[in-house]
């Protein structure tokens, strides 16, 4: 029974991202106009900020507190956030260098990279939960499965955020869908790694969670929020941000 739950959890967390990315097929063949693009970028920004706070930063601080960091339990998350921002800058610089100076990463390339990085510690968290629970029997494994279910539900709007943002930038629906799926493909892979190496990965988890949050927040601040303000009506991007933030906050708190 525990093996079945484990396989189901690893499959579920990816399929949920893919299901969210499929939302792009309902936006129409002509893609999104300026206002829709602003709304998509605002929606993606809201999701990423809320996910950074509730799914990444707060759990990182809580784990550091349980690990005995005391009054400086914020430190691993803070260092990770700074490292995440630096990671995006270095990745953009590398892309610029490889292109011979013709241009670095696009806004949506950065978003895809940030969301992919975001899914790495989430996958590790699922693997750690499963790896810790399996030796304890089916009851504990069922609890870990419910945690994976919560992550999977959160992955649905994240997959949609990537694909809809790319569609709003003029990419084809098919390419936007596959990029949305690709952003979640790392999650079951790292969940498997976390499952096999549960005893070794746990001390690194607060740092990895912070790194993921920093990468996402950097992309939101540098690219997505400015893009969300380019609609014909300035409030459209802000309304999309609030919608995405409220949705992700509600999912995180409820699950």
């Amino acid at each position: 029974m525990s093996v079945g739950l484990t396989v189901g959890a690893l499959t579920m967390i990816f399929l949920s991202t893919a299901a969210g990315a499929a939302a792009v097929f309902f936006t129409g063949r002509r893609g999104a106009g300026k206002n829709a693009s602003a709304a998509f970028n605002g929606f993606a920004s809201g999701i990423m900020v809320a996910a950074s706070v509730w799914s990444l930063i707060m759990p990182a601080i809580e784990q550091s507190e349980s690990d005995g960091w005391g009054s400086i339990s914020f430190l691993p998350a803070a260092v990770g956030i700074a490292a995440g921002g630096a990671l995006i800058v270095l990745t953009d610089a590398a892309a610029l260098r490889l292109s011979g100076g013709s241009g670095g990463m696009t806004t949506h390339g950065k978003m895809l990279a940030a969301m992919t990085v975001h899914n790495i510690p989430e996958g590790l968290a699922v693997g750690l939960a499963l790896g810790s629970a399996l030796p304890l029997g089916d009851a504990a494994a069922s609890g870990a499965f419910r945690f994976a279910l919560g992550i999977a539900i959160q992955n649905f709007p994240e997959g949609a955020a990537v694909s809809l943002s790319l569609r709003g930038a003029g990419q084809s629906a098919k390419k936007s869908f596959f990029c949305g799926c690709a952003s979640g493909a790392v999650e079951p892979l790292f969940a498997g790694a976390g499952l096999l190496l549960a005893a070794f990965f746990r001390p690194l988890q607060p740092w990895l969670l912070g790194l993921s949050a920093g990468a996402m927040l950097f992309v939101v601040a540098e690219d997505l929020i400015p893009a969300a303000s380019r609609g014909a009506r300035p409030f459209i991007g802000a309304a999309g941000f609030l919608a995405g933030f409220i949705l992700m906050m509600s999912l995180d708190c409820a699950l």
Side-chain angles (χ1 to χ4, degrees):
M1 181 65 175
S2 296
V3 174
L5 285 174
T6 301
V7 173
L10 297 184
T11 303
M12 177 178 60
I13 57 177
F14 171 72
L15 291 181
S16 180
T17 304
V24 75
F25 293 115
F26 301 95
T27 60
R29 292 186 177 180
R30 295 183 179 180
K34 183 180 291 187
N35 286 334
S37 179
F40 291 155
N41 281 305
F43 181 74
S45 298
I47 284 176
M48 292 171 75
V49 170
S52 295
V53 175
W54 274 277
S55 295
L56 301 171
I57 296 173
M58 290 176 64
I61 293 173
E62 289 169 2
Q63 184 176 325
S64 295
E65 288 176 346
S66 67
D67 288 344
W69 284 76
S71 62
I72 57 169
S73 57
F74 64 88
L75 187 60
V79 172
I81 290 169
L87 176 65
I88 295 298
V89 172
L90 292 174
T91 302
D92 193 31
L96 181 63
R97 187 177 184 86
L98 290 172
S99 66
S102 60
M105 294 174 69
T106 64
T107 294
H108 302 286
K110 291 179 186 178
M111 179 187 174
L112 178 59
M115 195 66 83
T116 301
V117 170
H118 159 74
N119 283 326
I120 290 174
E122 278 195 356
L124 285 173
V126 171
L128 288 169
L130 291 168
S132 300
L134 284 176
L136 304 178
D138 286 346
S142 295
F145 181 84
R146 288 192 293 273
F147 170 71
L149 176 62
I151 294 293
I153 292 173
Q154 294 171 29
N155 284 348
F156 184 90
E158 291 174 1
V162 174
S163 65
L164 291 174
S165 182
L166 289 169
R167 185 64 165 148
Q171 300 294 336
S172 69
K174 185 179 292 186
K175 182 176 180 179
S176 299
F177 169 71
F178 281 116
C179 286
C181 291
S183 72
V186 298
E187 195 160 292
L189 295 176
F190 278 86
L195 178 64
L196 295 173
L197 301 171
F200 302 99
F201 270 127
R202 191 183 183 284
L204 297 177
Q205 192 74 3
W207 307 85
L208 293 172
L209 289 169
L211 184 144
S212 174
M216 293 177 69
L217 292 173
F218 191 92
V219 171
V220 168
E222 184 182 38
D223 294 302
L224 294 184
I225 288 180
S229 66
R230 293 174 190 150
R233 295 179 175 84
F235 68 84
I236 291 176
F241 177 92
L242 289 180
F245 187 93
I246 292 169
L247 173 63
M248 203 67 200
M249 177 191 68
S250 300
L251 288 173
D252 281 333
C253 292
L255 298 170

